[in-house]
């Protein structure tokens, strides 16, 4: 028979051993919370991008309201717009990087799901992963369209610095930009639909895991 001291030591060792082994559900929750951190960085960049896009739109409207006789003012405004586009490029790069980190974290989430014994939670978590994969795929399309649109806008503002710019050249470039933003709008709408679904399913899963 164990002495009282030995029994106490045995209980302490069992407690320590138990604390060192996290339940699989807790491990999954931790992996998902890490993914959410990257998503928060994405959201932060989104707000900054919207502000910069608004500023550039104001400059664009101002330029379009001027005639080429006011070339010096158009040239000045165009250079200002190019600086804003440069800031947008930096923001979109940070946004892109946060999504790439979230993609990598999603692989860790998949590993945790494969180790679950609770089949109901496993099914819900697997469905969430599938939804996220579609969402990230849509983001990749959105990012590519956005990059194309940025380059077209850069070309436009450089064209504005050419005093020999014709109305036909301007119209052709504006058509290209509008077409690019039409693609962005469609991809963004799909991305937002996936985001709404993701947030709903994520909330439901977190409630089950906590």
């Amino acid at each position: 028979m164990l002495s009282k001291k030995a029994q106490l030591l045995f209980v302490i060792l069992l407690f320590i051993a138990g604390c060192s082994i996290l339940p699989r559900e807790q491990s999954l929750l931790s992996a998902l919370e890490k993914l959410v951190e990257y998503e928060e960085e994405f959201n932060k960049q989104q707000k900054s991008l919207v502000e910069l896009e608004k500023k550039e739109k104001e400059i664009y409207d101002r330029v379009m309201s001027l005639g080429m006789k006011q070339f010096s003012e158009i040239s000045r405004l165009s250079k200002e717009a190019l600086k804003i586009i440069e800031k947008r490029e930096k923001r979109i790069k940070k946004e892109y990087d946060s999504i790439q980190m979230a993609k990598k974290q999603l692989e860790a989430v998949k590993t945790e799901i494969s180790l679950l014994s609770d089949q109901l939670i496993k099914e819900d978590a697997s469905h969430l992963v599938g939804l996220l994969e579609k969402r990230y795929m849509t983001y990749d399309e959105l990012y590519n369209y956005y990059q194309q649109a940025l380059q077209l806008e850069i070309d436009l503002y450089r064209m504005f610095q050419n005093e020999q710019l014709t109305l036909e050249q301007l119209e052709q470039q504006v058509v290209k930009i509008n077409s690019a933003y039409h693609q962005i709008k469609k991809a963004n709408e799909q991305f937002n639909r996936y985001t709404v679904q993701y947030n709903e399913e994520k909330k439901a899963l977190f409630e089950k895991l906590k």
Side-chain angles (χ1 to χ4, degrees):
M1 182 179 292
L2 294 172
S3 66
K4 287 185 178 179
K5 285 186 178 180
Q7 288 175 342
L8 179 60
L9 179 60
F10 182 65
V11 170
I12 292 173
L13 288 172
L14 280 176
F15 176 76
I16 292 172
C19 290
S20 67
I21 302 172
L22 288 173
R24 294 266 54 102
E25 287 80 3
Q26 181 60 47
S27 295
L28 173 59
L29 181 60
S30 297
L32 284 168
E33 286 175 340
K34 186 67 177 176
L35 188 147
V36 169
E37 288 179 21
Y38 296 127
E39 289 278 346
E40 288 173 356
E41 178 63 25
F42 167 83
N43 292 332
K44 187 169 70 174
Q45 299 306 322
Q46 279 277 298
K47 292 176 184 177
S48 299
L49 273 169
V50 169
E51 291 173 6
L52 289 169
E53 286 167 1
K54 184 179 178 182
K55 287 180 182 179
E56 189 192 326
K57 179 65 166 57
E58 290 170 357
I59 291 175
Y60 174 79
D61 290 341
R62 176 65 178 151
V63 168
M64 295 301 285
S65 70
L66 298 172
M68 286 307 286
K69 289 182 180 180
Q70 294 173 279
F71 177 72
S72 60
E73 178 64 7
I74 288 175
S75 181
R76 184 190 69 80
L77 289 169
S78 297
K79 290 174 183 176
E80 188 177 334
L82 286 169
K83 288 179 181 178
I84 292 176
I85 290 176
E86 187 177 345
K87 291 179 181 178
R88 286 171 65 193
E89 286 177 323
K90 289 178 180 177
R91 291 293 180 183
I92 196 71
K93 179 62 168 61
K94 287 183 178 180
E95 180 187 273
Y96 176 82
D97 289 343
S98 69
I99 289 293
Q100 299 315 304
M101 294 298 290
K103 280 184 182 180
K104 289 181 181 178
Q105 183 60 24
L106 190 58
E107 294 305 311
V109 170
K110 287 181 182 179
T111 298
E112 294 300 334
I113 291 172
S114 69
L115 299 172
L116 288 173
S117 57
D118 188 316
Q119 288 303 311
L120 289 177
I121 291 180
K122 196 169 188 174
E123 287 176 13
D124 289 347
S126 295
H127 190 272
L128 182 66
V129 164
L131 183 59
L132 272 173
E133 287 177 330
K134 291 178 184 176
R135 182 169 171 268
Y136 291 150
M137 190 180 299
T138 303
Y139 174 80
D140 286 342
E141 293 177 4
L142 179 57
Y143 174 77
N144 289 332
Y145 289 138
Y146 199 88
Q147 289 291 90
Q148 292 170 22
L150 284 178
Q151 185 56 56
L152 288 169
E153 287 181 283
I154 289 171
D155 294 341
L156 174 68
Y157 289 115
R158 286 175 178 167
M159 289 168 69
F160 276 131
Q161 294 175 54
N162 176 11
E163 204 165 1
Q164 305 306 314
L165 175 66
T166 66
L167 181 59
E168 183 181 1
Q169 289 172 324
L170 176 59
E171 288 177 343
Q172 288 176 351
Q173 191 66 14
V174 169
V175 167
K176 290 178 184 177
I177 291 172
N178 288 341
S179 176
Y181 274 98
H182 177 67
Q183 294 294 333
I184 288 172
K185 184 174 181 290
K186 287 200 302 182
N188 195 53
E189 285 173 352
Q190 182 60 65
F191 180 78
N192 288 338
R193 282 194 288 271
Y194 283 139
T195 299
V196 170
Q197 288 179 264
Y198 159 67
N199 287 330
E200 290 174 352
E201 294 192 20
K202 177 188 69 178
K203 183 180 177 181
L205 181 60
F206 271 36
E207 288 175 354
K208 291 179 181 179
L209 292 172
K210 289 183 177 179

